[in-house]
Amino acid sequence: MSVASPDYSDGCMIALYPPPDLAEQLAVDGGLPAEELHVTVAYLGAAADVDGDALREVVAELAGRRPFTAQLAGLARFTGGAKDVLVALVDSPDLEDLRRDTLDALYERGIQVPREHGYTAHLSLSYLDTDEAAPLDRLEAQPVDFTALSAVHGTDRTDEALAHPMEAPAREAFAVGWALSGGPMTERVRTACETAVSIATEAADDPDILRATIDLGRLEGMWALLFQRREEQQALHMVEVRRQWRELISRDEITAMVDRLRHQLGVTEALDPGRLRAEALAAAKAMLRALADLSGFSALRIALRNAIAAGRAEGMVNAVAIAAERAGRVGLDWNIAFKDAYRSMERLDDLWADAGGWLGRMIDGVAGDLGRTLADGLEGGLDRDALIDAAADLLTGDSEAVAFVVDWAMTTAADEGALALYQSEGVLQLDIISAGDGRVCGACIDAEAGSPWHIGDQPRLPLHPNCRCCLAADVSLAHFANWIM
C-alpha cells in the first residue's frame, strides 16, 4: 500500500506544473493528487528561511522566456530514503537552461540552494514503502507543455506565464504589417505570426528585428489577400458555369436515356456487373456529348471562357502584387489592376480553345459520375422513376465534376497568366511559393524548396487538384504605375 507523501507545506521552491489534463492522466491510485504534480526546478528548503517577495521576483524575471515542450521519458524509482519515490523522468534542454538561469538568479539575491542532492529533472508520482510494488511498470514517452513558472512559498503559489519580453512587441508588429496589406486573417497568417514571433525572440538584440517582423506580417497578409481573391473569383464564376450547365439539362432527355439503357440491358435478366457499368457509362457519355448540339451550349462555353479569362487576369495581377511587395511598395489597386488585365483578354482567341478543352473534361467527368450513379442504381434494384430521379439529382445538383473543372481551369489560367507576364517582362528566374495551409503536399513543398527555377524549367502549376502554389519573381513596376496607389 502506498504511504502518504511527506508534508512540504512549510517549504518553498520554484517549479513547473503540467497542464491539468495531463496531470489527471499521470496521477496514480494512492499517489500524489493531480493538482500537486510538478517538476521542481529548485527546492529551497524551509519557507521561513526564504523571503517570499524575493522568490516571486526571481520567478517574474525568469518568466521572460518562451513556453517550451519537454519530454516525459519513462519511469524511475528513487531509493535510499525512508520512502521510495516513483517518478516520471523529464527531459528538455530548455529545462536545463531554466535550471541554470534559476540558480544564477537566486545566487544574485543571496538565496542559497540546498546541496544534498544533484539535479535529475523529474515529476514525482507516488511515495512507496521500500518493499512495495510500483503501481506502474512503464510510462509511454510523451510531450509535456510548460507555459508558466511557479513560485511556491509555503502554501502560497504564484504562477507567472512564460513569455519572452520581445513576444508581445513582435506580435503587435506582425499585426501592423498584416493590417497594412488589407489581407484577411487565415490559418496561414496565424502560423506565420507564430513563426515570426519566434524569429523575433531569437534575434531580440537586432535593432531592426521589429521592422523585419512588420514586413513579414505585410507579406503574409498580402498572400492571404491573394488567395482570398482567387477563391472569390472562382466562387463567382462557379455560380455562372453551374447555372448554364443546369440550363442544358432536360428531364425528358434523362428519361429517354434511362429508358434506352434499361431496354438495352434487359431489366428482368441477371446483369453482368462489368457489362452493366460499361453500358451505363456509354449511355451517360452519349447523352452528355449530345449537349454540344443544343443552342444553350454556346452560353456554357462563354461562361467557362470568361472564368478562364478571369483566372488569367487574376494571375497577372498576383504577379504584379508579388513584385510590388518584394520591392516594398504598398497600395496596389487590385480592382483597377484586374479590370485592366481582364480587358487585355478580350481578343485572345486561345481562350476559346482552352474553354473547349475544359468543357470536354467537364463532360467526361460528369459522365463518369452519371455512369456510376446509373450502374449503382440498377445494381441496387431502383425502379425506372427512382433511377431517373437519381440521375436528375446528380446532373442538376452541385456537381463535383463541374466544380472540379472550374477550379482546375481557373487555377491553371492564373498560373499561366502570371507566367506570361513574367516572360513578357524578361524574367529569367522565378520562385514557387505554396499557400502554407492544410492543402500543401509533398510535391508543393519540394517545388518551393527547389526555388529559384530557371523560367521554363519550373514544374507546371497547379501540381494537383486544389493546389494553391503560385509563381513569384521580381519585375520592374514601371509598366504598371497606374496599378500602384
Side-chain angles (χ1 to χ4, degrees), residues 219-267:
L219 178 62
E220 290 301 330
M222 191 277 292
W223 283 115
L225 181 59
L226 184 155
F227 292 119
Q228 180 194 53
R229 284 182 56 87
R230 278 199 183 189
E231 291 179 352
E232 287 174 353
Q233 283 291 326
Q234 288 170 351
L236 176 68
H237 287 277
M238 187 81 70
V239 170
E240 180 61 15
V241 171
R242 277 178 165 160
R243 188 177 74 82
Q244 296 298 339
W245 172 266
R246 293 187 184 107
E247 290 289 326
L248 291 174
I249 304 302
S250 163
R251 189 174 180 87
D252 290 342
E253 288 298 326
I254 295 172
T255 299
M257 180 267 297
V258 168
D259 286 343
R260 285 193 297 270
L261 177 61
R262 284 163 52 85
H263 177 75
Q264 188 169 350
L265 291 172
V267 295

Side-chain angles (χ1 to χ4, degrees), residues 93-149:
D94 294 301
L95 182 53
E96 293 178 3
D97 293 344
L98 175 59
R99 164 76 174 179
R100 181 195 63 238
D101 294 344
T102 298
L103 296 182
D104 289 345
L106 291 169
Y107 177 80
E108 289 175 1
R109 287 169 174 78
I111 301 175
Q112 299 298 315
V113 179
R115 305 283 294 177
E116 288 88 352
H117 301 285
Y119 183 71
T120 302
H122 66 278
L123 189 152
S124 297
L125 299 175
S126 182
Y127 289 84
L128 307 170
D129 287 329
T130 56
D131 59 353
E132 182 181 356
L136 292 177
D137 58 9
R138 192 171 192 278
L139 180 67
E140 292 289 342
Q142 59 182 306
V144 52
D145 296 326
F146 293 115
T147 60
L149 185 64

Side-chain angles (χ1 to χ4, degrees), residues 297-312:
F297 192 76
S298 60
L300 175 61
R301 187 166 177 242
I302 290 171
L304 193 53
R305 181 264 178 206
N306 291 342
I308 294 169
R312 283 207 197 176

Side-chain angles (χ1 to χ4, degrees), residues 3-91:
V3 294
S5 61
D7 181 9
Y8 290 111
S9 61
D10 59 350
C12 62
M13 64 178 174
I14 294 174
L16 296 162
Y17 286 81
D21 56 342
L22 180 58
E24 291 286 351
Q25 177 186 333
L26 293 173
V28 299
D29 290 341
L32 292 168
E35 63 272 14
E36 293 184 15
L37 299 185
H38 65 272
V39 177
T40 302
V41 179
Y43 179 70
L44 305 174
D49 298 333
V50 178
D51 181 74
D53 290 337
L55 183 65
R56 286 184 282 273
E57 286 176 7
V58 169
V59 168
E61 175 186 316
L62 293 169
R65 64 186 63 222
R66 291 181 62 80
F68 65 93
T69 300
Q71 187 83 354
L72 294 182
L75 292 172
R77 182 165 180 158
F78 293 166
T79 60
K83 303 171 185 177
D84 291 352
V85 190
L86 182 69
V87 304
L89 297 174
V90 182
D91 179 46

